[in-house]
Structure formats: structure tokens, C-alpha cells
Amino acid sequence: MYLVVIAWMYVVLMMSVAEATNTTGSVLGAIVTFFLYGVLPMVVVVYLLRTPQRRRAIKAREAAEDAARAAERAAPSAQPDAGGEAAGAAEAGGVAPVRKEP
């Protein structure tokens, strides 16, 4: 993929040099040629061709995050009350159980 990009940029550079050194050409025309024929299309092409790699990288990063979260949940806590719940003592007869009426 990058070989084609490098080759095309070489061709566009040579077109720009020819535009700048031509008797009827100008440096401004060479700059416009370089950006409109070279840089702009190659940015679009490289962006489109790298889309599958970006998607794979995102999926791999998400899978690693999921694995890290699963490992955190599976590992026993070294702290006595690290469950995220408020600490409190059990009260005898504090709340009546809910039952169906007979």
C-alpha cells in the first residue's frame, strides 16, 4: 500500500517541478498541483485503506479492557470491605420478611 503512495507522490513531485520550471508555469501552480494532485488524494486513500486496521485495533483494545474487567471481578479482594457496599451491622428483627398472606 505504501509503495503505491510513495510512487504517486514521486510522480506528483515531478509534475510540480515541471510546472515550476516551465517558462509558462509558476511556483503557485506547482504548489497547487502538489496539494490537489498529490497530498489531498493520498490522504483520502490512506485513510480509507487503513480503516480495517483501525477497526481491528479498536476491537483488540475493547477485548483487552473486557478481559481486564473480568479479571478484576474474578480476583478476590484483599480489602475486607471492598465490595462497594456500605458497611453496617446486622440488626435483629429490623425488617420483617415479605410473605404472601395465607
Side-chain angles (χ1 to χ4, degrees):
M1 173 179 82
Y2 293 115
L3 183 63
V4 173
V5 172
I6 292 168
W8 181 248
M9 290 307 292
Y10 176 77
V11 169
V12 170
L13 180 68
M14 291 296 112
M15 289 171 53
S16 298
V17 169
E19 175 76 26
T21 58
N22 193 357
T23 56
T24 59
S26 67
V27 175
L28 180 62
I31 293 170
V32 169
T33 298
F34 184 75
F35 281 103
L36 292 182
Y37 282 109
V39 174
L40 185 65
M42 286 301 106
V43 166
V44 171
V45 166
V46 170
Y47 179 79
L48 291 176
L49 290 177
R50 292 207 30 139
T51 300
Q53 290 175 344
R54 279 194 313 274
R55 286 185 184 160
R56 281 193 298 269
I58 290 170
K59 285 182 182 178
R61 184 175 54 229
E62 288 174 352
E65 289 173 358
D66 289 343
R69 279 191 217 115
E72 283 178 9
R73 278 187 245 127
S77 174
Q79 300 293 328
D81 191 22
E85 300 292 325
E91 297 180 15
V95 179
V98 179
R99 298 185 204 175
K100 275 183 135 181
E101 299 253 348

